[in-house]
């Protein structure tokens, strides 16, 4: 018997412990306590792929030497590989349990356990997820960039930040069905780079900030972040420039609160052109 709904929920709540620099002992304790159910769950057909991904990660990293685990992971690989056939009839209800992004993430986790499963793990993951997304959106093909972005967002939503960051990097160079999505992903990647203290973040942010085709909110957000960076660097002139550029990209009739916020932030620059010492930086959106 696979896991019960409460046990699935408990495992999902523990997924951040499987992220980088975290202690997975809490997940291991649950797996050991529900051993047979977890062995059944990871290879359940159709199963729940978000739960499956968590189990694949903990089993392949902590318990892969166990023959029972190896058999279960091979069973999981069969279920994941058969995903396109399972959704071929266009039944979107299956995707309530088998989210396409998590099917793709399962494929990536399985390929880390056994590279012979796919010569190119990323392409395998994209191919699987793309089939599911095509059913969801009712189109023959989902954009490659959008698929990678979906995988990245799902990974980051459970604290798998390293996986999410890697997928965002690949997505930023991929073709998108919607050009606005491409700029949005570059903004997200720039913010991740900024969080990680990487100097390349500024160049990518400026690329987004100077875009003439991107959605106004995306451009405004990038310009606002650049203004904050200039304040932290002690460059009040640069901060004023980017605040004013941000204000210029806002329609005050549609976004009156944002426009007023930016005017207020410009006003906080004191007479010497330096930021007021009690200024607190907050997110614009």
């Amino acid at each position: 018997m696979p896991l019960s709904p409460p046990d699935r929920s408990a495992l999902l709540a523990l997924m951040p412990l499987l992220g980088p620099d975290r202690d997975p002992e809490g997940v291991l304790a649950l797996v050991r306590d529900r051993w047979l159910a977890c062995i059944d769950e990871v290879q359940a057909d159709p199963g729940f792929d978000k739960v499956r991904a968590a189990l694949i990660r903990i089993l392949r990293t902590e318990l892969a030497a166990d023959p029972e685990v190896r058999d279960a992971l091979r069973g999981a690989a069969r279920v994941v590989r058969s995903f396109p056939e399972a959704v071929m009839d266009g039944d979107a209800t299956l995707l309530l349990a088998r989210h396409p992004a998590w099917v793709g993430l399962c494929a990536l986790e399985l390929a880390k356990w056994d590279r012979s499963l796919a010569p190119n793990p990323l392409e395998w993951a994209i191919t699987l997820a793309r089939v599911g997304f095509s059913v969801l959106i009712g189109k023959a093909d989902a954009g490659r960039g959008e698929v990678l972005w979906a995988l990245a967002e799902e990974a980051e939503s459970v604290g798998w930040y390293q996986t999410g960051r890697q997928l965002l990097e690949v997505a930023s160079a991929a073709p998108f069905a919607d050009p606005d999505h491409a700029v949005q992903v570059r903004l997200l990647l720039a913010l991740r780079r900024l969080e990680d203290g990487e100097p390349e973040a500024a160049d990518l942010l400026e690329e987004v900030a100077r875009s003439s085709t991107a959605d106004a909110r995306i451009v405004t957000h990038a310009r606002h972040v650049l203004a904050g960076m200039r304040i932290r660097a002690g460059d009040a002139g640069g901060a004023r420039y980017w605040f004013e550029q941000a204000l210029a990209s806002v329609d005050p009739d549609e976004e009156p609160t944002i426009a007023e916020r930016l005017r207020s932030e410009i006003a906080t620059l004191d007479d010497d052109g330096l930021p007021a010492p009690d200024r607190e930086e907050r997110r614009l959106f």
Side-chain angles (χ1 to χ4, degrees), residues 3-16 30 41 48 50-51 54:
L3 291 169
S4 66
D7 285 339
R8 287 192 195 104
S9 296
L11 180 60
L12 292 175
L14 294 172
M15 285 182 77
L30 187 152
E41 183 74 34
F48 297 84
K50 187 172 183 178
V51 176

Side-chain angles (χ1 to χ4, degrees), residues 226-228 230-231 235-244 266 269:
L226 283 164
R230 298 324 305 156
I231 282 180
D235 177 8
R240 183 181 296 278
Y241 170 80
W242 284 115
F243 276 137
E244 290 175 348
I266 293 170
L269 300 175

Side-chain angles (χ1 to χ4, degrees), residues 194 221 224-232 243 261 265 276 278-284:
L194 184 61
H221 191 167
H224 186 256
V225 174
L226 283 164
M229 292 175 68
R230 298 324 305 156
I231 282 180
R232 289 191 293 275
F243 276 137
R261 160 80 184 280
E265 292 194 287
D278 61 346
R279 178 186 181 277
E280 292 185 5
E281 185 176 351
R282 294 169 290 142
R283 291 183 64 87
L284 191 61

